Amino acid sequence: MDWLVHLLVPWIGGKLAQIRYHELSDSYIALLMLGAVLPDIGAVGYLLQWMGINHGDILLPFHTLVGSALVAALVSLLFERRVRAFSLLVTGFLTHYALDSLLAHAGGGMALLFPFSWEFGFQFGLVPTSSWVPVIVTATAATLLFVSLRLKKRKLLKLSRTAI
Amino acid sequence: MKLPTKILALLLLIALVSLCAYSYLEANKHSPYPGTGEIKSNYQSYVDKQITIFGDVTAINGDAAIVSSDGLNFNVQPINAAVGDKVEVLGVLGEEYNITATEVLTYDRLSYYAVFLRSLVGAGVLAVFFLKNWAPNFKKFRFEERG
């Protein structure tokens, strides 16, 4: 699934959660979004392939739960509040796997439990990889949410001005 | 006990590299279906076995198609695709690069490359949103929340 969908889903989730939990700032949502694309670090393989470098299955661990957790732990070291950063990155990458489980692949799905299990599965086969449906749905939802949040903010500003 | 950041980073890196090495060495033995790479290295051992390939449709002949995958040309049948499409094929390998397909996923060229284009747009969106909220501090080698 493309990154636009992977990024918009945690953004929507984060913004909706922000309505209830005001302490969830945009910087935390940014970490959720970063986490949501961490499993695709292995996509560098396309670049290697394009350059004619045979990387075999060396990048497979990046698209697994353990591999993503290790990458998230490494990335969280770049932040002051590591535990919070790590938990947001983990939440982000869990949304990634939830979305990828919707995809259809002819030769099996993800080896999510690697290195404990080599089972390639965890796919519902509902959406072809190149489908436009997920991006249309999420982009529409994100636009509606963005506009409604803007309108709400404007309304609040107006109210506070009239109160003054 | 709190581990110093550098040691922790080193331990995490070692764990990650070990996983990659393990995957590189073992994945072939565990992949559910052999792919083009394995077929290329030892064709005969995969004849009459279920295999999976990914490639481009280069020619159509009735309900069959020539699929080019990693330098090999397979004759896949039955298939419903057009020249230029990308296809993911699961099927049984026969002699002379014939595949009897049991499952075929077809992606038209435009939709296939649009995934990469949308991802590129996504990368840009992430970079802008992230740097709007976090500032890199190169001296401390960390990101700091913008006020």
Side-chain angles (χ1 to χ4, degrees):
Chain A
M1 204 168 279
D2 62 79
W3 275 24
L4 215 47
V5 177
H6 280 306
L7 292 166
L8 286 176
V9 167
W11 183 84
I12 293 167
K15 281 289 175 187
L16 287 173
Q18 225 173 31
I19 297 169
R20 177 93 165 79
Y21 306 100
H22 299 291
E23 65 274 18
L24 186 77
S25 63
D26 276 358
S27 46
Y28 293 159
I29 296 177
L31 283 176
L32 273 178
M33 290 164 76
L34 181 66
V37 293
L38 282 186
D40 276 350
I41 287 179
V44 76
Y46 287 111
L47 197 70
L48 295 177
Q49 219 165 15
W50 182 70
M51 289 160 71
I53 300 167
N54 180 19
H55 54 84
D57 291 295
I58 203 164
L59 300 171
L60 180 136
F62 289 101
H63 209 273
T64 64
L65 288 171
V66 172
S68 297
L70 288 172
V71 175
L74 261 173
V75 174
S76 67
L77 296 179
L78 299 171
F79 297 87
E80 181 101 54
R81 300 171 80 174
R82 287 176 195 174
V83 176
R84 180 162 286 196
F86 178 70
S87 53
L88 287 163
L89 292 168
V90 169
T91 311
F93 78 62
L94 288 177
T95 67
H96 183 106
Y97 292 120
L99 286 168
D100 273 4
S101 69
L102 302 176
L103 295 176
H105 287 291
M110 305 174 274
L112 265 193
L113 301 179
F114 170 88
F116 307 109
S117 160
W118 282 94
E119 191 197 336
F120 286 77
F122 305 98
Q123 62 167 15
F124 295 108
L126 299 174
V127 191
T129 312
S130 63
S131 172
W132 286 83
V133 175
V135 74
I136 291 169
V137 171
T138 46
T140 309
T143 310
L144 287 173
L145 183 63
F146 181 78
V147 171
S148 60
L149 289 173
R150 276 284 153 115
L151 288 174
K152 193 183 167 196
K153 203 175 172 185
R154 205 176 280 179
K155 211 174 174 181
L156 282 173
L157 262 175
K158 246 184 197 174
L159 273 173
S160 64
R161 269 189 206 143
T162 48
I164 292 165
Chain B
M1 189 185 75
K2 204 175 172 186
L3 278 175
T5 307
K6 281 179 187 168
I7 293 179
L8 198 55
L10 187 69
L11 289 174
L12 288 167
L13 266 176
I14 290 170
L16 204 52
V17 170
S18 310
L19 276 186
C20 290
Y22 175 57
S23 165
Y24 184 74
L25 297 170
E26 292 288 311
N28 272 356
K29 296 174 199 160
H30 302 277
S31 70
Y33 308 106
T36 311
E38 287 99 322
I39 296 167
K40 225 178 192 177
S41 63
N42 193 357
Y43 189 94
Q44 282 307 320
S45 63
Y46 298 111
V47 171
D48 290 330
K49 289 202 174 128
Q50 279 235 306
I51 52 99
T52 180
I53 61 159
F54 180 79
D56 301 278
V57 176
T58 54
I60 297 284
N61 184 11
D63 70 338
I66 302 296
V67 176
S68 171
S69 172
D70 202 10
L72 298 181
N73 288 320
F74 295 94
N75 183 38
V76 180
Q77 193 179 23
I79 190 169
N80 184 12
V83 173
D85 284 351
K86 298 264 182 193
V87 288
E88 228 180 301
V89 179
L90 176 68
V92 179
L93 184 69
E95 295 288 349
E96 293 173 356
Y97 297 95
N98 282 303
I99 296 175
T100 308
T102 49
E103 192 182 345
V104 180
L105 295 177
T106 311
Y107 312 107
D108 70 88
R109 208 179 182 81
L110 183 75
S111 300
Y112 181 78
Y113 286 109
V115 174
F116 294 97
L117 195 68
R118 294 200 299 268
S119 294
L120 215 61
V121 172
V125 169
L126 175 65
V128 170
F129 191 74
F130 186 83
L131 292 172
K132 199 180 151 200
N133 289 286
W134 294 94
N137 182 332
F138 295 105
K139 273 185 190 165
K140 289 185 182 171
F141 201 65
R142 71 170 40 151
F143 286 99
E144 286 170 353
E145 211 170 343
R146 290 189 196 268

